[in-house]
Amino acid sequence: MIRSLVLQPIDETRKETGAIRLSRFPCIIGRSHECEPRLNLHRISRRHFKLELDGDHVLIEDLGSTNGTFVNEERITGPSELRPGDRLHIADYAFRVESFAEIEQQTSSRAGRPDTLAGQTIAGFTEDPTGFPVQAPQLYELLNDSMLEPMAVEVRLEGGPSDALLVFGRSTHATLTAGHDRLARMARQLGEEARYNGILRELAVVAADRADLDNRLVILPVDAFEVEDAAVLLNELAELSRRFRRLRLGCRVDTAELDVTTLKQLRKSLEKTGITLADRPESREAEQNCRAAGIAVLEMANEVAAKPLEDYF
């Protein structure tokens, strides 16, 4: 009778996380702080999959994740049995399913010593995930008080004039000196990417309106994980478009993180509100996704120095 399982990372996944011990069911695994255990890794959805007991069996069910859950190389579309020895892929992270009893036998020589690994998460217990931002309190202060300055660089739609502005953020927090890449990464680690980008988008359109940038295409950031809550994202963007009708708005999303079908749906939904979906692909995969989904490709202008958005009046 199986009452607990261990997901042992294999292959390249061992570099990303330790083992995940599951001893309480049902449980939901994902990036959200509400998940127990929490698996805070790139490409993992907020609520990725569910595990529950059905008699002597453990059932696994994908919860509509963006990048899928796979058992023995097959994507699951409904509740499926999970057995010791199975190979589990959560997005593209690989684990081997082992019974707790098997793990105890393998580690019996370590009796009296903790058998958790660095970064391991045990169902029913919590600990900071590997890579937890050291300055998390400062980031929350930044979000609570909107301590962001909208910055921008000039870009152009492929083959067109340099009349677009690609927006990103810069911290104005006294003790958190950080640019957009670091802030976005910290927000992702904390599951706050939607909040961070939502604040930045609001500040950016207000600044663009104040600077009379109605002759520019203002391209706002969207995190790929926000697309999981597409209705919330689309409602927010439609409201921005309604409130600032004179502005030309666009959104940039990393096309390497989403499949072509999802990108097409997002593009069509945004077009209904007059918003252009674009990306500046940094890999061959991203460029192929752009072309296949009909998404505008951005090119850097000759002058790439960033400056505050309002300075582009």
Side-chain angles (χ1 to χ4, degrees), residues 90-304:
I90 310 169
D92 55 359
Y93 297 99
F95 296 85
R96 184 179 65 254
V97 181
E98 298 179 351
S99 69
F100 186 35
E102 181 181 351
I103 297 299
E104 285 183 332
Q105 291 173 4
Q106 293 176 3
T107 60
S108 59
S109 62
R110 300 178 58 203
R113 296 171 55 194
D115 60 1
T116 57
L117 303 174
Q120 181 172 338
T121 306
I122 302 175
F125 299 84
T126 58
E127 68 178 16
D128 289 346
T130 302
F132 190 82
V134 174
Q135 291 187 290
Q138 289 91 330
L139 182 69
Y140 281 117
E141 290 175 358
L142 177 150
L143 296 174
N144 290 338
D145 295 328
S146 299
M147 299 180 187
L148 281 170
E149 180 178 23
M151 306 289 290
V153 293
E154 285 192 320
V155 294
R156 59 172 170 263
L157 298 183
E158 190 176 42
S162 301
D163 66 345
L165 296 173
L166 182 60
V167 172
F168 56 95
R170 183 172 67 183
S171 169
T172 60
H173 190 286
T175 59
L176 177 56
T177 303
H180 181 73
D181 287 347
R182 184 182 173 209
L183 292 172
R185 185 167 59 250
M186 291 175 69
R188 265 199 170 194
Q189 289 175 307
L190 294 168
E192 296 285 359
E193 61 277 356
R195 187 178 172 202
Y196 168 75
N197 283 305
I199 291 170
L200 178 55
R201 289 190 290 261
E202 174 72 24
L203 293 173
V205 294
V206 169
D209 185 64
R210 191 161 50 227
D212 295 324
L213 296 179
D214 50 302
N215 62 330
R216 299 275 202 155
L217 176 63
V218 180
I219 302 175
L220 308 170
V222 169
D223 190 287
F225 281 114
E226 292 184 85
V227 181
E228 293 179 15
D229 297 321
V232 174
L233 174 65
L234 292 170
N235 285 339
E236 178 210 318
L237 293 172
E239 179 63 15
L240 286 178
S241 181
R242 184 193 65 79
R243 288 167 51 205
F244 299 91
R245 286 193 177 95
R246 71 187 185 114
L247 296 179
R248 297 167 54 209
L249 298 180
C251 288
R252 182 202 178 184
V253 67
D254 186 348
T255 50
E257 294 189 316
L258 297 170
D259 61 70
V260 172
T261 299
T262 300
L263 289 168
K264 284 182 178 179
Q265 293 173 343
L266 181 61
R267 173 181 60 79
K268 291 177 181 178
S269 297
L270 289 174
E271 285 175 350
K272 294 178 182 178
T273 61
I275 296 176
T276 300
L277 184 61
D279 188 22
R280 185 167 68 88
E282 298 178 355
S283 67
R284 186 177 184 84
E285 178 187 7
E287 183 174 356
Q288 289 174 340
N289 284 354
C290 273
R291 309 292 183 192
I295 292 172
V297 174
L298 299 175
E299 299 174 338
M300 298 303 297
N302 293 329
E303 177 57 57
V304 295

